[in-house]
Amino acid sequence: MEQSIRLTLWPAYFFLPLGLGLMAALIALKLVCRVLGKPEPEPVALIALRVLIGVTLIAVSYAGIAAIGGHSAAWGILQVVPYSFISNWTLSSVPMFLLMGFVCYHCGLTRGLFDAARVWLSRLPGGLAIAAVFGCTGFAAVTGSRVACAAAMGKIAVPEMVRHKYDIRLATGTLGLLLAIGPACRRVSSMKTTSRWRTVRSASWCSGPVNHGSSIAAIGEIRNTRPKPGATLEPANLLEFLKPRLPAYMRPRYIEKRAPNRGGLVPVAGDFLRHVLPQGRGCLEIEPLAEGRAHFLEDVQNSLGFHPFRDHLFVQAFRDIA
Amino acid sequence: MIAYGFVRAVDRAVLFGAAIALVAMMLQVSADVIAKLAFNAPLPLPSALVTEYYMVAVAFLPLAAGEYRQAHIHVDIFVQRLPGSRPRTNSPTMRS
């Protein structure tokens, strides 16, 4: 039914030259501005040395094909190849996943999810990165697209890891590792399964968990090189790993009773010690449980409502546009 | 300058077009799924529209916008070593 109806293709062919042409015009404008000594919109260093990688690849391949088969052949390939690569039903999950990640991030959904993951994996070193590994596994199993998985998890997981004071190298490296190895096993397993391929397929079934297990172990090892007290994988505190630990905003809150000045003790000792200390000037008092629950519900309502989502989204959109 | 205002206007227009294509793709795919599964009456040509209009618009229209924000991938290892070059203020991963 779909094949019987032909669409006119010229508007779609119009998008590629329009985008490329606008980009080229912008680059030319920057060059002209620099030659004339006018102020530029953004600090542009030597454009000859930091040519975009995509432009470089396009130019090099165009020159190569033109050297072999002439300019008409190269121009034809330049017409056909980007369009036929992009107009792909499978790849349409990539912008959809990006949109979903955007919406999830601005709803605060990923925040809650990663806080939950932090509760359960908090005793493990690098628990958040391990949570990202599990999330990547799920995404890769669902989509089978390496690019979509990496894009969505990069949108979701990396800001959360940065928010929890993870090293940016560890955060991006985790996702890069998963980008390399994650769904590769699935790609092998989707091949034609004749009896000859069955061994390959079973090997790929094994290789997925092995890959992810080894990456989890590697993350734990990286995080273990600078251990925090009580966060190392030793048999002595193995039981401690199993206790979930609440993140800060789920813990019962402490409200200030009187003047909050207690010298250097307050930042050092921690909440529990403050509570145990004899009630004196500036002692903190634990909130009643019902009130804490009310605060938690308020948080939930705030993050689920439409208005905060709208405000967040539009602030971000205007910051992007302006 | 007038040129910068023009560039910003074109940038917004292009981003707006890509955003419309993105939302239209989302709505059409979900409408197709609902129509197919709930009413057993699939909509005509969702895949053709998605692959040949929306995907191309979403992929190629914001190229200039990415260049405007310096969000394309480039290598500045050598440029950083040059005298007089400024250190990078923001990294693309932190922009969230």
Side-chain angles (χ1 to χ4, degrees):
Chain A
M1 181 173 145
E2 288 174 12
Q3 278 74 24
S4 63
I5 308 170
R6 287 297 301 166
L7 289 171
T8 55
L9 281 184
W10 65 266
Y13 276 122
F14 188 60
F15 290 139
L16 169 62
L18 182 63
L20 279 181
L22 283 178
M23 199 168 80
L26 199 56
I27 294 174
L29 180 69
K30 283 181 181 174
L31 269 177
V32 167
C33 284
R34 208 179 60 239
V35 168
L36 293 182
K38 295 283 171 59
E40 299 172 24
E42 283 152 315
V44 183
L46 257 182
I47 210 164
L49 268 183
R50 45 187 297 186
V51 179
L52 308 178
I53 289 180
V55 176
T56 313
L57 292 180
I58 289 175
V60 168
S61 53
Y62 180 87
I65 294 170
I68 293 173
H71 275 285
S72 62
W75 191 250
I77 284 177
L78 188 61
Q79 275 179 339
V80 170
V81 168
Y83 178 79
S84 63
F85 177 72
I86 286 299
S87 71
N88 188 351
W89 174 258
T90 314
L91 277 188
S92 73
S93 66
V94 176
M96 290 293 102
F97 266 105
L98 278 179
L99 182 62
M100 188 193 69
F102 193 77
V103 169
C104 287
Y105 179 73
H106 287 287
C107 279
L109 191 64
T110 59
R111 210 183 159 87
L113 246 169
F114 272 89
D115 279 339
R118 198 167 169 72
V119 172
W120 287 106
L121 301 171
S122 62
R123 295 287 174 173
L124 291 177
L128 212 50
I130 295 174
V133 170
F134 279 117
C136 263
T137 313
F139 264 125
V142 170
T143 63
S145 170
R146 198 165 53 156
V147 186
C149 171
M153 291 309 285
K155 187 71 191 166
I156 291 171
V158 171
E160 292 300 321
M161 283 197 259
V162 170
R163 185 166 68 88
H164 283 108
K165 306 283 193 299
Y166 271 54
D167 196 337
I168 185 69
R169 288 170 297 180
L170 177 63
T172 51
T174 306
L175 290 179
L177 185 72
L178 288 161
L179 180 64
I181 65 172
C185 51
R186 187 184 152 86
R187 182 187 294 168
V188 175
S189 73
S190 70
M191 286 178 182
K192 295 290 182 190
T193 54
T194 58
S195 63
R196 195 176 162 196
W197 279 106
R198 195 156 293 155
T199 49
V200 176
R201 196 176 165 212
S202 59
S204 74
W205 276 108
C206 296
S207 76
V210 166
N211 274 338
H212 286 98
S214 60
S215 60
I216 286 169
I219 290 165
E221 195 56 40
I222 291 170
R223 292 290 283 183
N224 253 341
T225 51
R226 278 179 300 172
K228 290 180 291 186
T232 50
L233 269 174
E234 289 169 6
N237 43 16
L238 201 58
L239 270 182
E240 291 292 314
F241 291 153
L242 303 178
K243 293 183 194 166
R245 201 169 47 178
L246 288 174
Y249 83 97
M250 282 187 191
R251 272 180 226 144
R253 297 179 182 203
Y254 295 90
I255 50 177
E256 298 177 0
K257 198 174 179 185
R258 289 188 207 111
N261 188 8
R262 209 177 163 79
L265 185 61
V266 175
V268 177
D271 297 340
F272 184 68
L273 191 54
R274 244 178 294 161
H275 188 59
V276 166
L277 278 179
Q279 308 279 319
R281 268 179 65 85
C283 273
L284 304 180
E285 188 185 353
I286 194 167
E287 251 182 343
L289 192 57
E291 216 168 313
R293 261 190 218 143
H295 273 293
F296 180 61
L297 285 182
E298 193 180 329
D299 279 349
V300 168
Q301 277 177 351
N302 274 340
S303 60
L304 282 186
F306 178 69
H307 291 285
F309 168 61
R310 184 195 58 191
D311 296 342
H312 210 141
L313 199 61
F314 275 80
V315 163
Q316 174 74 26
F318 280 121
R319 203 200 303 152
D320 273 356
I321 282 180
Chain B
M1 282 176 66
I2 302 173
Y4 293 150
F6 178 69
V7 165
R8 284 184 62 180
V10 170
D11 174 63
R12 287 184 199 193
V14 160
L15 269 191
F16 192 68
I20 283 181
L22 188 66
V23 173
M25 178 155 70
M26 175 184 76
L27 290 180
Q28 181 154 13
V29 170
S30 40
D32 178 54
V33 168
I34 290 173
K36 196 188 293 176
L37 294 184
F39 305 113
N40 202 11
L43 297 178
L45 46 90
S47 71
L49 266 179
V50 165
T51 56
E52 297 187 350
Y53 286 104
Y54 299 148
M55 276 302 286
V56 181
V58 166
F60 291 129
L61 275 183
L63 279 180
E67 170 60 29
Y68 186 57
R69 288 166 182 69
Q70 302 217 336
H72 287 299
I73 303 174
H74 49 71
V75 178
D76 50 2
I77 295 178
F78 307 110
V79 178
Q80 278 177 349
R81 312 266 167 124
L82 290 181
S85 69
R86 302 174 209 179
R88 299 184 57 184
T89 51
N90 51 353
S91 71
T93 48
M94 298 297 288
R95 214 177 283 161
S96 75

